[in-house]
Each structure stands twice: as C-alpha cells, then as structure tokens.
Amino acid sequence: MRLRALATIGVTVLLATTACSVSTKNDSGPDDTTSAPVPSGSTASAAPKIKDVVLVTHDSWSLPKKLVAQWEQQTGYHLVVRSNGDAGKLTNKLVLTQGNPDGDVSFGVDNTFATRALKANVFAPYTPASVPTGVSGYDVEGDGGQHLTPIDHSDVCVNVDTTWFAAHHLTPPTTLDDLTKPAYKNLFVTPGASTSSPGMAFLLATIAAYGDGWQSYWSKLMANGAEITDGWDQAYEVEFTQGGGKGKRPIVLSYDSDPAYTVKGGTTSTQALLDTCFTEVEYAGVLTGAKNVPGAKAFVEWLLSPQVQAALPRSMYVFPVVPGTPLPADWTRFAKQPTNPLTVSPAEIDANREKWLQQWSDVTSR
C-alpha cells in the first residue's frame, strides 16, 4: 500500500524477492508477547505436510517479530516473505504469475487494483470460517469476501503543516479547490498517480470530486506550482516541511493517520484535510495454484485475529478493519477519519484506469 511504515517506526526492513524468514529477519513494530488464538484446523499438533507458508506482499509489510513467531510456534508453519514494491507492482506480479504463483497467500492488493486481480483469477475461492462482524463492509464490490478478505484500511488525504502556517500567519487550505488558489502557490507536493498507490488514490479523489472536469482541475493545480514526485517517501520525507529532510512545501498528499505520527509534547504539528480523502482498503487471499493451501488459509484467518488487528496501527500505520479493536492513545486523539470520503467504484476504476492514467500524464507533463 505504501512505504510509510518503514519511515514511521524507524526500522529498515530489506525484503528482496528471494525468500526470507519473517520470524528471524523482521524486527519491526512492538514486541507483542500476548498469545494469539490459533485458527481452527491449524494447530501445531496437526503437523502440516508443508511447513513453509510463502507470503507475496508489498514492501510495507511489517508485523512484530514475536507475534509472527507465536503464530509459527502454535501452527507449526514457517512464514516466508517475498516483497514486490507497492500495491500496483504487487498486483502486476500476481497477474503475471497467475496459476503458478511465487507463493501461497498474498496481502496488500488494495481496492484500486482488486478488480484487476479478480478478473485474472489470481485468488482462489476462500472465506475465513469466522469473519468478525463489520468486516464485510469493506468487501470488494461484486466479490462479497469470496476471494479477498479485508484486513486494514486508511484514507489518503491532503495534509498540512499547521506550525508552518501559524508561523507564516496564513490560513491553511481546507478543500481541494483551495489548492489551486494563489495563496497556496508552490506549496503542495504529491506523489504521482502512475508511480505511487497513494498518488493514484489522490487522482481518484479528484475524479470523484470533479467528474468530467477533473482534468481541468489538474491543469489549475499544476499551474499553481504543484510538485509531483515518484513516490510517497520523496514527497513526505524530502519535500514536506515536517518530513525528515525539512523540505519547503507545507502541504503534502499523505494519510489520515499522519497527525498521530507527528505528535510531540502532547500536540500534533500536522492536520489531515478530511474533505480531500479517498479510502484505501487492503486485502489478503489464497493464491490460485498455491502449494500450501491449508497454511495460506490459516494465515488469512490469523490476520483477522485480535492480536494482529491491534498491531496494525503501530506496525503499518493503518486502521484495523475489525470494529472495536483498541487503538493507540495518539491515534484515538489525533488520527481523525473522514465521515464522507470520496469514492470511485472498483468496477469503474477497472474500466478506466489506463485511460485516466494516460490523461493524467498528458495534463501533468504540459
């Protein structure tokens, strides 16, 4: 979904396309030692015929090492991770290897790419035996949880550096329209739609907001000095004034969880503009042609367990899909979610993705 988690928790996780063991290599996130419940039918006593469960995911995959180790000990499986860039690159990889996948299970295909994967029969039919109440509200339209299981969600939103605006005695923008006003010229930076999943989500937000007029909006945005980067990391960590590089642009395209990330001394220095948000949902599913189907199913069930759901905010900076999952204190106070996010149906995205990206490239390259 994004490279955000790596920068957020200050841990570098190198997951090459060659397999590596999460239980020994991934040290990101809190060391949750609480025993996790074992999914039905996957106890260690029923020794699995194939021990390795190979996860094909994106570069931002990150869960506490001890939590993964508990699952391995309790089930008898061994988790192997193979990463493949962001959600778009991951989906491309899954489509290209359909029927002969590089692994057994995948996590990280989001709602902007889900229909493409489903049309290509990337995922085998599977619904966890027990799906918590409320999770089905995040199902892919038309799938009903038959192939893809929702795991987490977050909203891509425009964020502002409130301390910068206070220091410059300038009222921050609040809407998408505001970003085209002269007062905010040369202040906005966003990752590109063709090279970044949050950038694609922002493009979809503008399509939802402006309909057939979205290209005109982007022309105005570019004329007002908007900067486009290849990815989120460069936009936030380099160009944004609150990023690690202390850049010069106080408006950035990022996530609704960011204000919980910039807390210092009990206050936050950023604010998400909740009228600009587009919801992203990440899914997991058993891959068609998987060698270890029982292990893949056990892994998907585990991702919905209370321990994993509670670990998601600190580990990957996303919200859990299971309602009632406790959130960190800073999230409860500062990570506000939009009540009416902008939306585009997965079917419409699938039908128009390539056309929209080409039109977006034409507008932004003028």
Side-chain angles (χ1 to χ4, degrees), residues 288-353:
T288 301
K291 295 179 180 178
N292 189 351
V293 173
K297 291 180 177 179
F299 181 79
V300 175
E301 288 188 25
W302 178 64
L303 291 179
L304 288 176
S305 69
Q307 286 75 14
V308 173
Q309 288 287 298
L312 288 172
R314 291 198 186 280
S315 297
M316 288 189 271
Y317 255 74
V318 290
F319 288 91
V321 293
V322 177
T325 300
L327 297 173
D330 286 347
W331 281 61
T332 301
R333 184 176 178 187
F334 297 109
K336 304 300 181 184
Q337 300 178 75
T339 56
N340 190 29
L342 297 162
T343 60
V344 179
S345 74
E348 190 175 1
I349 295 171
D350 186 62
N352 295 282
R353 182 186 295 107

Short mmCIF file of all heavy atoms in Angstrom, two decimals, residues 288-353:
data_model
loop_
_atom_site.label_atom_id
_atom_site.label_comp_id
_atom_site.label_asym_id
_atom_site.label_seq_id
_atom_site.Cartn_x
_atom_site.Cartn_y
_atom_site.Cartn_z
N THR A 288 -4.32 -18.73 -6.38
CA THR A 288 -4.63 -19.85 -7.26
C THR A 288 -3.35 -20.58 -7.61
O THR A 288 -2.40 -19.96 -8.09
CB THR A 288 -5.32 -19.35 -8.54
OG1 THR A 288 -6.52 -18.66 -8.20
CG2 THR A 288 -5.65 -20.50 -9.47
N GLY A 289 -3.31 -21.88 -7.38
CA GLY A 289 -2.11 -22.65 -7.65
C GLY A 289 -1.16 -22.74 -6.47
O GLY A 289 -0.04 -23.23 -6.61
N ALA A 290 -1.60 -22.28 -5.29
CA ALA A 290 -0.75 -22.33 -4.10
C ALA A 290 -0.36 -23.77 -3.77
O ALA A 290 -1.16 -24.68 -3.89
CB ALA A 290 -1.48 -21.71 -2.91
N LYS A 291 0.88 -23.95 -3.31
CA LYS A 291 1.35 -25.27 -2.90
C LYS A 291 0.89 -25.63 -1.49
O LYS A 291 0.71 -26.81 -1.17
CB LYS A 291 2.88 -25.32 -2.99
CG LYS A 291 3.42 -25.18 -4.41
CD LYS A 291 4.94 -25.22 -4.41
CE LYS A 291 5.48 -25.08 -5.83
NZ LYS A 291 6.97 -25.08 -5.86
N ASN A 292 0.72 -24.62 -0.66
CA ASN A 292 0.33 -24.86 0.74
C ASN A 292 -0.99 -24.15 1.02
O ASN A 292 -1.03 -23.09 1.65
CB ASN A 292 1.42 -24.37 1.69
CG ASN A 292 1.17 -24.79 3.13
OD1 ASN A 292 0.11 -25.30 3.47
ND2 ASN A 292 2.15 -24.56 3.98
N VAL A 293 -2.06 -24.71 0.55
CA VAL A 293 -3.39 -24.10 0.72
C VAL A 293 -3.81 -24.06 2.18
O VAL A 293 -4.29 -23.01 2.66
CB VAL A 293 -4.43 -24.82 -0.15
CG1 VAL A 293 -5.83 -24.30 0.15
CG2 VAL A 293 -4.11 -24.64 -1.63
N PRO A 294 -3.66 -25.14 2.96
CA PRO A 294 -4.05 -25.05 4.38
C PRO A 294 -3.29 -23.97 5.13
O PRO A 294 -3.86 -23.25 5.95
CB PRO A 294 -3.71 -26.45 4.92
CG PRO A 294 -3.76 -27.34 3.73
CD PRO A 294 -3.24 -26.51 2.60
N GLY A 295 -1.98 -23.85 4.86
CA GLY A 295 -1.19 -22.82 5.52
C GLY A 295 -1.62 -21.42 5.11
O GLY A 295 -1.66 -20.50 5.92
N ALA A 296 -1.95 -21.25 3.83
CA ALA A 296 -2.41 -19.95 3.34
C ALA A 296 -3.72 -19.55 4.01
O ALA A 296 -3.90 -18.40 4.43
CB ALA A 296 -2.59 -20.00 1.82
N LYS A 297 -4.63 -20.51 4.15
CA LYS A 297 -5.91 -20.22 4.82
C LYS A 297 -5.69 -19.85 6.28
O LYS A 297 -6.31 -18.91 6.80
CB LYS A 297 -6.83 -21.43 4.70
CG LYS A 297 -7.33 -21.72 3.28
CD LYS A 297 -8.24 -22.93 3.26
CE LYS A 297 -8.79 -23.19 1.86
NZ LYS A 297 -9.67 -24.39 1.82
N ALA A 298 -4.81 -20.59 6.95
CA ALA A 298 -4.52 -20.29 8.36
C ALA A 298 -3.94 -18.90 8.52
O ALA A 298 -4.24 -18.19 9.49
CB ALA A 298 -3.56 -21.34 8.92
N PHE A 299 -3.14 -18.48 7.55
CA PHE A 299 -2.52 -17.15 7.61
C PHE A 299 -3.57 -16.06 7.45
O PHE A 299 -3.56 -15.06 8.18
CB PHE A 299 -1.45 -17.02 6.52
CG PHE A 299 -0.75 -15.69 6.53
CD1 PHE A 299 0.25 -15.42 7.45
CD2 PHE A 299 -1.11 -14.71 5.62
CE1 PHE A 299 0.89 -14.19 7.46
CE2 PHE A 299 -0.48 -13.48 5.63
CZ PHE A 299 0.52 -13.22 6.55
N VAL A 300 -4.49 -16.22 6.51
CA VAL A 300 -5.54 -15.22 6.32
C VAL A 300 -6.39 -15.10 7.58
O VAL A 300 -6.71 -13.99 8.02
CB VAL A 300 -6.42 -15.57 5.11
CG1 VAL A 300 -7.59 -14.60 4.99
CG2 VAL A 300 -5.59 -15.54 3.82
N GLU A 301 -6.74 -16.23 8.19
CA GLU A 301 -7.51 -16.19 9.43
C GLU A 301 -6.76 -15.44 10.52
O GLU A 301 -7.34 -14.66 11.28
CB GLU A 301 -7.83 -17.62 9.89
CG GLU A 301 -8.85 -18.34 9.05
CD GLU A 301 -9.27 -19.66 9.67
OE1 GLU A 301 -9.15 -19.80 10.91
OE2 GLU A 301 -9.71 -20.55 8.93
N TRP A 302 -5.47 -15.68 10.60
CA TRP A 302 -4.63 -15.05 11.62
C TRP A 302 -4.62 -13.52 11.48
O TRP A 302 -4.60 -12.79 12.47
CB TRP A 302 -3.22 -15.62 11.54
CG TRP A 302 -2.24 -15.03 12.49
CD1 TRP A 302 -2.25 -15.10 13.85
CD2 TRP A 302 -1.06 -14.30 12.14
NE1 TRP A 302 -1.15 -14.45 14.38
CE2 TRP A 302 -0.40 -13.96 13.35
CE3 TRP A 302 -0.47 -13.91 10.92
CZ2 TRP A 302 0.80 -13.24 13.38
CZ3 TRP A 302 0.72 -13.21 10.95
CH2 TRP A 302 1.33 -12.87 12.17
N LEU A 303 -4.65 -13.03 10.25
CA LEU A 303 -4.62 -11.58 10.02
C LEU A 303 -5.86 -10.88 10.60
O LEU A 303 -5.82 -9.68 10.86
CB LEU A 303 -4.51 -11.27 8.52
CG LEU A 303 -3.18 -11.62 7.86
CD1 LEU A 303 -3.22 -11.28 6.37
CD2 LEU A 303 -2.00 -10.91 8.52
N LEU A 304 -6.94 -11.64 10.80
CA LEU A 304 -8.15 -11.06 11.40
C LEU A 304 -8.19 -11.26 12.92
O LEU A 304 -9.16 -10.84 13.56
CB LEU A 304 -9.39 -11.68 10.78
CG LEU A 304 -9.71 -11.27 9.34
CD1 LEU A 304 -10.93 -12.04 8.83
CD2 LEU A 304 -9.94 -9.77 9.22
N SER A 305 -7.17 -11.89 13.49
CA SER A 305 -7.16 -12.14 14.93
C SER A 305 -7.00 -10.83 15.70
O SER A 305 -6.46 -9.84 15.19
CB SER A 305 -6.01 -13.08 15.30
OG SER A 305 -4.75 -12.44 15.12
N PRO A 306 -7.48 -10.77 16.95
CA PRO A 306 -7.37 -9.53 17.73
C PRO A 306 -5.94 -9.03 17.88
O PRO A 306 -5.70 -7.81 17.84
CB PRO A 306 -7.95 -9.94 19.09
CG PRO A 306 -8.89 -11.06 18.78
CD PRO A 306 -8.24 -11.81 17.66
N GLN A 307 -4.98 -9.94 18.02
CA GLN A 307 -3.60 -9.51 18.22
C GLN A 307 -3.02 -8.84 16.97
O GLN A 307 -2.35 -7.81 17.06
CB GLN A 307 -2.73 -10.72 18.60
CG GLN A 307 -2.93 -11.19 20.03
CD GLN A 307 -4.24 -11.96 20.21
OE1 GLN A 307 -4.87 -12.35 19.23
NE2 GLN A 307 -4.63 -12.16 21.46
N VAL A 308 -3.28 -9.41 15.81
CA VAL A 308 -2.78 -8.80 14.57
C VAL A 308 -3.49 -7.49 14.29
O VAL A 308 -2.86 -6.48 13.94
CB VAL A 308 -2.93 -9.77 13.39
CG1 VAL A 308 -2.58 -9.06 12.08
CG2 VAL A 308 -2.04 -10.99 13.58
N GLN A 309 -4.79 -7.47 14.44
CA GLN A 309 -5.55 -6.24 14.18
C GLN A 309 -5.07 -5.10 15.09
O GLN A 309 -4.93 -3.96 14.64
CB GLN A 309 -7.04 -6.50 14.40
CG GLN A 309 -7.67 -7.36 13.30
CD GLN A 309 -7.84 -6.61 12.00
OE1 GLN A 309 -8.57 -5.61 11.92
NE2 GLN A 309 -7.16 -7.05 10.94
N ALA A 310 -4.78 -5.41 16.36
CA ALA A 310 -4.31 -4.37 17.29
C ALA A 310 -2.90 -3.92 16.96
O ALA A 310 -2.51 -2.78 17.29
CB ALA A 310 -4.36 -4.90 18.72
N ALA A 311 -2.12 -4.76 16.29
CA ALA A 311 -0.73 -4.41 15.96
C ALA A 311 -0.63 -3.56 14.70
O ALA A 311 0.39 -2.91 14.46
CB ALA A 311 0.10 -5.68 15.79
N LEU A 312 -1.65 -3.55 13.87
CA LEU A 312 -1.58 -2.88 12.57
C LEU A 312 -1.28 -1.37 12.65
O LEU A 312 -0.47 -0.87 11.86
CB LEU A 312 -2.87 -3.11 11.78
CG LEU A 312 -3.08 -4.52 11.24
CD1 LEU A 312 -4.48 -4.66 10.66
CD2 LEU A 312 -2.03 -4.85 10.19
N PRO A 313 -1.90 -0.61 13.55
CA PRO A 313 -1.63 0.83 13.56
C PRO A 313 -0.15 1.17 13.77
O PRO A 313 0.42 1.97 13.02
CB PRO A 313 -2.49 1.35 14.72
CG PRO A 313 -3.63 0.38 14.78
CD PRO A 313 -3.02 -0.95 14.47
N ARG A 314 0.49 0.57 14.76
CA ARG A 314 1.89 0.88 15.01
C ARG A 314 2.83 0.22 14.01
O ARG A 314 3.92 0.74 13.73
CB ARG A 314 2.28 0.46 16.44
CG ARG A 314 1.61 1.30 17.51
CD ARG A 314 2.33 1.14 18.83
NE ARG A 314 1.65 1.82 19.93
CZ ARG A 314 1.73 3.13 20.16
NH1 ARG A 314 2.45 3.90 19.37
NH2 ARG A 314 1.08 3.66 21.18
N SER A 315 2.45 -0.92 13.47
CA SER A 315 3.33 -1.66 12.57
C SER A 315 3.28 -1.13 11.14
O SER A 315 4.31 -1.00 10.49
CB SER A 315 2.96 -3.14 12.57
OG SER A 315 3.15 -3.71 13.84
N MET A 316 2.08 -0.83 10.64
CA MET A 316 1.95 -0.41 9.25
C MET A 316 1.19 0.90 9.08
O MET A 316 0.89 1.30 7.96
CB MET A 316 1.30 -1.53 8.43
CG MET A 316 2.23 -2.71 8.21
SD MET A 316 1.61 -3.94 7.04
CE MET A 316 0.69 -5.02 8.13
N TYR A 317 0.87 1.56 10.18
CA TYR A 317 0.18 2.85 10.17
C TYR A 317 -1.11 2.82 9.36
O TYR A 317 -1.40 3.71 8.53
CB TYR A 317 1.12 3.96 9.71
CG TYR A 317 1.54 4.80 10.90
CD1 TYR A 317 2.46 4.31 11.82
CD2 TYR A 317 0.98 6.04 11.14
CE1 TYR A 317 2.81 5.05 12.94
CE2 TYR A 317 1.32 6.78 12.26
CZ TYR A 317 2.24 6.28 13.16
OH TYR A 317 2.57 7.00 14.26
N VAL A 318 -1.90 1.79 9.61
CA VAL A 318 -3.23 1.65 9.00
C VAL A 318 -4.22 1.32 10.09
O VAL A 318 -3.85 0.88 11.19
CB VAL A 318 -3.23 0.55 7.92
CG1 VAL A 318 -2.41 0.99 6.71
CG2 VAL A 318 -2.68 -0.77 8.48
N PHE A 319 -5.50 1.50 9.79
CA PHE A 319 -6.56 1.18 10.74
C PHE A 319 -7.00 -0.28 10.56
O PHE A 319 -7.10 -0.76 9.44
CB PHE A 319 -7.77 2.09 10.51
CG PHE A 319 -7.58 3.51 10.94
CD1 PHE A 319 -7.11 4.45 10.05
CD2 PHE A 319 -7.87 3.90 12.24
CE1 PHE A 319 -6.93 5.78 10.44
CE2 PHE A 319 -7.70 5.22 12.64
CZ PHE A 319 -7.22 6.16 11.74
N PRO A 320 -7.28 -0.97 11.66
CA PRO A 320 -7.81 -2.34 11.55
C PRO A 320 -9.23 -2.33 11.01
O PRO A 320 -9.97 -1.36 11.20
CB PRO A 320 -7.76 -2.83 13.00
CG PRO A 320 -7.83 -1.59 13.83
CD PRO A 320 -7.11 -0.53 13.06
N VAL A 321 -9.62 -3.42 10.35
CA VAL A 321 -11.00 -3.48 9.82
C VAL A 321 -11.99 -4.03 10.84
O VAL A 321 -13.19 -3.87 10.66
CB VAL A 321 -11.08 -4.35 8.54
CG1 VAL A 321 -10.34 -3.70 7.39
CG2 VAL A 321 -10.58 -5.78 8.80
N VAL A 322 -11.49 -4.68 11.89
CA VAL A 322 -12.40 -5.25 12.89
C VAL A 322 -12.85 -4.14 13.83
O VAL A 322 -12.04 -3.56 14.56
CB VAL A 322 -11.73 -6.38 13.68
CG1 VAL A 322 -12.68 -6.89 14.78
CG2 VAL A 322 -11.33 -7.52 12.75
N PRO A 323 -14.14 -3.80 13.85
CA PRO A 323 -14.63 -2.74 14.73
C PRO A 323 -14.35 -3.05 16.19
O PRO A 323 -14.39 -4.21 16.62
CB PRO A 323 -16.14 -2.73 14.45
CG PRO A 323 -16.30 -3.34 13.09
CD PRO A 323 -15.21 -4.38 13.01
N GLY A 324 -14.05 -2.02 16.96
CA GLY A 324 -13.80 -2.19 18.38
C GLY A 324 -12.37 -2.55 18.73
O GLY A 324 -12.03 -2.65 19.91
N THR A 325 -11.51 -2.74 17.73
CA THR A 325 -10.10 -3.01 18.01
C THR A 325 -9.49 -1.79 18.69
O THR A 325 -9.62 -0.67 18.18
CB THR A 325 -9.33 -3.31 16.71
OG1 THR A 325 -9.89 -4.45 16.07
CG2 THR A 325 -7.86 -3.56 17.01
N PRO A 326 -8.84 -1.97 19.84
CA PRO A 326 -8.26 -0.81 20.54
C PRO A 326 -7.15 -0.15 19.72
O PRO A 326 -6.34 -0.84 19.09
CB PRO A 326 -7.70 -1.41 21.83
CG PRO A 326 -7.53 -2.87 21.55
CD PRO A 326 -8.61 -3.23 20.58
N LEU A 327 -7.14 1.17 19.74
CA LEU A 327 -6.13 1.95 19.02
C LEU A 327 -5.16 2.59 20.02
O LEU A 327 -5.53 2.83 21.17
CB LEU A 327 -6.80 3.05 18.20
CG LEU A 327 -7.73 2.62 17.07
CD1 LEU A 327 -8.43 3.83 16.47
CD2 LEU A 327 -6.98 1.85 16.00
N PRO A 328 -3.93 2.88 19.60
CA PRO A 328 -3.01 3.62 20.47
C PRO A 328 -3.61 4.96 20.86
O PRO A 328 -4.43 5.54 20.13
CB PRO A 328 -1.77 3.80 19.58
CG PRO A 328 -1.85 2.69 18.57
CD PRO A 328 -3.31 2.50 18.32
N ALA A 329 -3.20 5.47 22.02
CA ALA A 329 -3.79 6.70 22.55
C ALA A 329 -3.65 7.87 21.57
O ALA A 329 -4.60 8.65 21.39
CB ALA A 329 -3.13 7.05 23.89
N ASP A 330 -2.50 8.01 20.93
CA ASP A 330 -2.30 9.12 19.98
C ASP A 330 -3.23 9.00 18.79
O ASP A 330 -3.66 10.01 18.22
CB ASP A 330 -0.84 9.16 19.51
CG ASP A 330 0.10 9.68 20.58
OD1 ASP A 330 -0.38 10.24 21.59
OD2 ASP A 330 1.33 9.53 20.41
N TRP A 331 -3.55 7.77 18.39
CA TRP A 331 -4.47 7.57 17.27
C TRP A 331 -5.88 8.00 17.67
O TRP A 331 -6.57 8.67 16.90
CB TRP A 331 -4.47 6.11 16.84
CG TRP A 331 -3.31 5.73 16.00
CD1 TRP A 331 -1.99 5.80 16.37
CD2 TRP A 331 -3.33 5.27 14.67
NE1 TRP A 331 -1.20 5.38 15.33
CE2 TRP A 331 -2.00 5.04 14.28
CE3 TRP A 331 -4.36 4.98 13.77
CZ2 TRP A 331 -1.66 4.56 13.01
CZ3 TRP A 331 -4.03 4.50 12.51
CH2 TRP A 331 -2.70 4.30 12.13
N THR A 332 -6.29 7.61 18.86
CA THR A 332 -7.63 7.97 19.33
C THR A 332 -7.81 9.48 19.37
O THR A 332 -8.88 10.01 19.04
CB THR A 332 -7.87 7.38 20.72
OG1 THR A 332 -7.73 5.96 20.66
CG2 THR A 332 -9.26 7.72 21.23
N ARG A 333 -6.75 10.18 19.72
CA ARG A 333 -6.85 11.63 19.88
C ARG A 333 -6.61 12.39 18.59
O ARG A 333 -7.28 13.40 18.32
CB ARG A 333 -5.83 12.09 20.94
CG ARG A 333 -5.91 13.58 21.25
CD ARG A 333 -4.96 13.96 22.37
NE ARG A 333 -4.99 15.38 22.63
CZ ARG A 333 -4.17 16.01 23.47
NH1 ARG A 333 -3.26 15.31 24.16
NH2 ARG A 333 -4.26 17.32 23.66
N PHE A 334 -5.66 11.94 17.77
CA PHE A 334 -5.23 12.76 16.64
C PHE A 334 -5.52 12.20 15.25
O PHE A 334 -5.58 12.95 14.28
CB PHE A 334 -3.72 13.03 16.74
CG PHE A 334 -3.32 13.81 17.95
CD1 PHE A 334 -2.63 13.21 18.99
CD2 PHE A 334 -3.65 15.16 18.08
CE1 PHE A 334 -2.25 13.92 20.11
CE2 PHE A 334 -3.29 15.88 19.21
CZ PHE A 334 -2.59 15.26 20.23
N ALA A 335 -5.68 10.89 15.11
CA ALA A 335 -5.89 10.30 13.79
C ALA A 335 -7.39 10.29 13.46
O ALA A 335 -8.06 9.26 13.57
CB ALA A 335 -5.32 8.89 13.75
N LYS A 336 -7.90 11.41 13.06
CA LYS A 336 -9.32 11.55 12.74
C LYS A 336 -9.60 10.99 11.35
O LYS A 336 -8.83 11.18 10.42
CB LYS A 336 -9.75 13.01 12.82
CG LYS A 336 -9.45 13.67 14.16
CD LYS A 336 -10.15 12.98 15.31
CE LYS A 336 -9.87 13.67 16.64
NZ LYS A 336 -10.48 12.94 17.78
N GLN A 337 -10.73 10.32 11.23
CA GLN A 337 -11.11 9.72 9.95
C GLN A 337 -12.27 10.50 9.32
O GLN A 337 -13.13 11.02 10.03
CB GLN A 337 -11.53 8.27 10.16
CG GLN A 337 -10.43 7.39 10.74
CD GLN A 337 -10.91 5.98 10.97
OE1 GLN A 337 -11.07 5.19 10.04
NE2 GLN A 337 -11.14 5.62 12.24
N PRO A 338 -12.31 10.57 7.99
CA PRO A 338 -13.40 11.30 7.32
C PRO A 338 -14.72 10.56 7.49
O PRO A 338 -14.77 9.33 7.52
CB PRO A 338 -12.96 11.32 5.86
CG PRO A 338 -12.08 10.12 5.72
CD PRO A 338 -11.36 9.99 7.03
N THR A 339 -15.77 11.32 7.62
CA THR A 339 -17.10 10.71 7.72
C THR A 339 -17.72 10.47 6.35
O THR A 339 -18.63 9.64 6.22
CB THR A 339 -18.04 11.63 8.54
OG1 THR A 339 -18.08 12.93 7.91
CG2 THR A 339 -17.54 11.77 9.97
N ASN A 340 -17.24 11.18 5.34
CA ASN A 340 -17.79 11.03 4.00
C ASN A 340 -16.67 11.08 2.96
O ASN A 340 -16.57 12.03 2.19
CB ASN A 340 -18.82 12.14 3.73
CG ASN A 340 -19.61 11.90 2.46
OD1 ASN A 340 -19.82 10.76 2.04
ND2 ASN A 340 -20.03 12.98 1.82
N PRO A 341 -15.81 10.05 2.93
CA PRO A 341 -14.68 10.08 2.00
C PRO A 341 -15.13 10.01 0.55
O PRO A 341 -16.22 9.51 0.24
CB PRO A 341 -13.88 8.84 2.39
CG PRO A 341 -14.89 7.92 3.00
CD PRO A 341 -15.85 8.82 3.72
N LEU A 342 -14.31 10.51 -0.34
CA LEU A 342 -14.57 10.43 -1.77
C LEU A 342 -14.42 8.99 -2.24
O LEU A 342 -13.53 8.27 -1.76
CB LEU A 342 -13.61 11.35 -2.52
CG LEU A 342 -13.75 12.85 -2.18
CD1 LEU A 342 -12.52 13.61 -2.60
CD2 LEU A 342 -15.00 13.41 -2.85
N THR A 343 -15.25 8.55 -3.17
CA THR A 343 -15.21 7.16 -3.61
C THR A 343 -15.39 7.04 -5.12
O THR A 343 -16.06 7.87 -5.75
CB THR A 343 -16.32 6.33 -2.94
OG1 THR A 343 -17.60 6.88 -3.28
CG2 THR A 343 -16.17 6.32 -1.42
N VAL A 344 -14.78 6.02 -5.67
CA VAL A 344 -14.99 5.59 -7.05
C VAL A 344 -15.12 4.08 -6.99
O VAL A 344 -14.30 3.41 -6.35
CB VAL A 344 -13.82 5.98 -7.98
CG1 VAL A 344 -14.08 5.49 -9.40
CG2 VAL A 344 -13.60 7.50 -7.97
N SER A 345 -16.12 3.51 -7.62
CA SER A 345 -16.35 2.08 -7.51
C SER A 345 -15.20 1.29 -8.14
O SER A 345 -14.61 1.73 -9.14
CB SER A 345 -17.66 1.70 -8.19
OG SER A 345 -17.53 1.75 -9.60
N PRO A 346 -14.86 0.13 -7.57
CA PRO A 346 -13.80 -0.71 -8.16
C PRO A 346 -14.05 -1.04 -9.62
O PRO A 346 -13.12 -1.09 -10.43
CB PRO A 346 -13.83 -1.97 -7.28
CG PRO A 346 -14.34 -1.50 -5.96
CD PRO A 346 -15.35 -0.44 -6.31
N ALA A 347 -15.31 -1.26 -9.99
CA ALA A 347 -15.62 -1.59 -11.38
C ALA A 347 -15.30 -0.43 -12.31
O ALA A 347 -14.76 -0.61 -13.41
CB ALA A 347 -17.10 -1.98 -11.51
N GLU A 348 -15.60 0.80 -11.85
CA GLU A 348 -15.31 1.99 -12.66
C GLU A 348 -13.80 2.20 -12.76
O GLU A 348 -13.28 2.60 -13.82
CB GLU A 348 -15.99 3.21 -12.06
CG GLU A 348 -15.93 4.44 -12.95
CD GLU A 348 -16.70 5.62 -12.41
OE1 GLU A 348 -17.28 5.51 -11.31
OE2 GLU A 348 -16.72 6.68 -13.08
N ILE A 349 -13.10 1.96 -11.67
CA ILE A 349 -11.64 2.08 -11.69
C ILE A 349 -11.05 1.10 -12.70
O ILE A 349 -10.20 1.46 -13.52
CB ILE A 349 -11.04 1.82 -10.29
CG1 ILE A 349 -11.49 2.89 -9.31
CG2 ILE A 349 -9.51 1.78 -10.36
CD1 ILE A 349 -11.14 2.59 -7.87
N ASP A 350 -11.53 -0.14 -12.65
CA ASP A 350 -11.00 -1.17 -13.54
C ASP A 350 -11.25 -0.82 -15.00
O ASP A 350 -10.39 -1.04 -15.87
CB ASP A 350 -11.64 -2.51 -13.20
CG ASP A 350 -11.04 -3.65 -13.98
OD1 ASP A 350 -9.82 -3.91 -13.81
OD2 ASP A 350 -11.76 -4.29 -14.77
N ALA A 351 -12.42 -0.27 -15.29
CA ALA A 351 -12.78 0.04 -16.67
C ALA A 351 -12.03 1.24 -17.23
O ALA A 351 -11.84 1.35 -18.45
CB ALA A 351 -14.29 0.28 -16.77
N ASN A 352 -11.56 2.13 -16.34
CA ASN A 352 -10.99 3.40 -16.82
C ASN A 352 -9.55 3.66 -16.38
O ASN A 352 -8.99 4.69 -16.75
CB ASN A 352 -11.86 4.56 -16.32
CG ASN A 352 -13.24 4.54 -16.90
OD1 ASN A 352 -13.47 4.93 -18.05
ND2 ASN A 352 -14.21 4.10 -16.10
N ARG A 353 -8.95 2.76 -15.61
CA ARG A 353 -7.64 3.03 -15.01
C ARG A 353 -6.61 3.49 -16.04
O ARG A 353 -5.97 4.53 -15.88
CB ARG A 353 -7.12 1.80 -14.27
CG ARG A 353 -5.77 2.03 -13.58
CD ARG A 353 -5.21 0.77 -12.98
NE ARG A 353 -6.02 0.26 -11.90
CZ ARG A 353 -6.80 -0.82 -11.96
NH1 ARG A 353 -6.86 -1.50 -13.10
NH2 ARG A 353 -7.50 -1.21 -10.94
#
